[in-house]
Amino acid sequence: MTSRPITMDEYKLIIQTIYDGGCGFRPNHTIALLAQMQASCGLRINDCLRVRLKDIYKSEDNHYRIKIKEQKTGKYRDTIFYADLYFQLSEYCVEHGRKKDEPIFDLTSRAVSKYLKKVTEYLDLDGVGTHSFRKLFATELFRRTDLLTTSMALLHSNINTTVRYLAKNPHLDSALEECGSKLLNIEVKHK
């Protein structure tokens, strides 16, 4: 199944439901943190599962950053990491006896997918998978920047991959419509 991008409202509902639990599944703070990390950084699920606290550092400009090697592409990714999330993960590691050089989460992507499926079935949301959180990141970044920046942030080697992420994005449709309208409605002076 190809996962679709989720909306911000769906994201909030999914995270809240994971924290609260529902019929057929218990609350799961671990998966909620994992989903928030994936959505806020645009990481693939397997990369999130490999993150260690020592992969997150404070840069010279006083921002938290995360540097990891992507499992799928082998490319290094060095990007902003949110201080609030870092502190939550640090607290989580203390509570669960995780050392800085150990993966923060002791889960498999299959376990996360199974749990998320229960949540999304409970919420009656179709086409949602772990990759939906990465696509949400792409959508939100694209709303604030442009296609090239979004593609670079995701480390896509082909911009067409980014276009596929955004293909069913209402923001992309309106941007294309506005662009086309401007290009068609220019004044031309004939000699």
Side-chain angles (χ1 to χ4, degrees):
M1 168 185 98
T2 301
S3 59
R4 66 172 175 84
I6 53 177
T7 66
M8 279 301 292
D9 288 339
E10 289 173 328
Y11 170 67
K12 290 174 187 174
L13 182 61
I14 290 167
I15 296 300
Q16 189 61 59
T17 304
I18 292 171
Y19 275 117
D20 294 344
C23 184
F25 60 95
R26 294 181 180 194
N28 194 315
H29 181 244
T30 302
I31 292 180
L33 273 176
L34 184 61
Q36 289 173 302
M37 181 166 67
Q38 191 176 9
S40 66
C41 298
L43 299 172
R44 291 177 183 89
I45 187 66
N46 285 325
D47 292 330
C48 285
L49 292 170
R50 293 174 42 242
V51 170
R52 305 161 300 179
L53 266 185
K54 75 177 196 174
D55 297 326
I56 305 165
Y57 67 96
K58 205 165 193 179
S59 63
E60 292 174 7
D61 62 358
N62 220 22
H63 286 99
Y64 282 93
R65 300 188 67 82
I66 183 170
K67 184 174 184 178
I68 61 164
K69 183 178 181 180
E70 289 188 338
Q71 185 178 19
K72 180 178 179 180
T73 65
K75 296 176 185 173
Y76 280 94
R77 182 168 182 163
D78 189 341
T79 191
I80 293 288
F81 198 87
Y82 302 94
D84 288 347
L85 185 55
Y86 173 75
F87 295 127
Q88 288 179 49
L89 292 173
S90 295
E91 189 175 297
Y92 178 88
C93 286
V94 169
E95 289 171 6
H96 291 85
R98 299 272 190 267
K99 296 177 181 156
K100 286 190 173 224
D101 60 346
E102 295 177 327
I104 295 169
F105 302 107
D106 186 21
L107 292 168
T108 63
S109 59
R110 182 169 163 76
V112 176
S113 293
K114 283 176 70 174
Y115 183 87
L116 185 59
K117 183 176 182 185
K118 289 178 185 178
V119 171
T120 56
E121 284 176 354
Y122 174 78
L123 295 172
D124 199 26
L125 296 173
D126 292 327
V128 178
T130 57
H131 213 61
S132 295
F133 297 101
R134 180 169 160 86
K135 291 179 178 182
L136 171 65
F137 171 83
T139 300
E140 290 301 311
L141 184 59
F142 179 68
R143 284 186 203 283
R144 291 160 179 79
T145 61
D146 56 59
L147 186 59
L148 183 58
T149 303
T150 303
S151 185
M152 289 170 55
L154 294 169
L155 292 182
H156 285 158
S157 53
N158 186 330
I159 203 161
N160 290 328
T161 304
T162 311
V163 170
R164 281 195 310 272
Y165 270 44
L166 304 170
K168 294 180 182 171
N169 179 330
H171 177 69
L172 178 59
D173 290 345
S174 64
L176 291 171
E177 187 176 303
E178 182 182 330
C179 179
S181 176
K182 283 181 182 178
L183 292 171
L184 285 174
N185 294 315
I186 60 170
E187 288 186 38
V188 179
K189 296 185 183 195
H190 298 282
K191 292 184 182 185

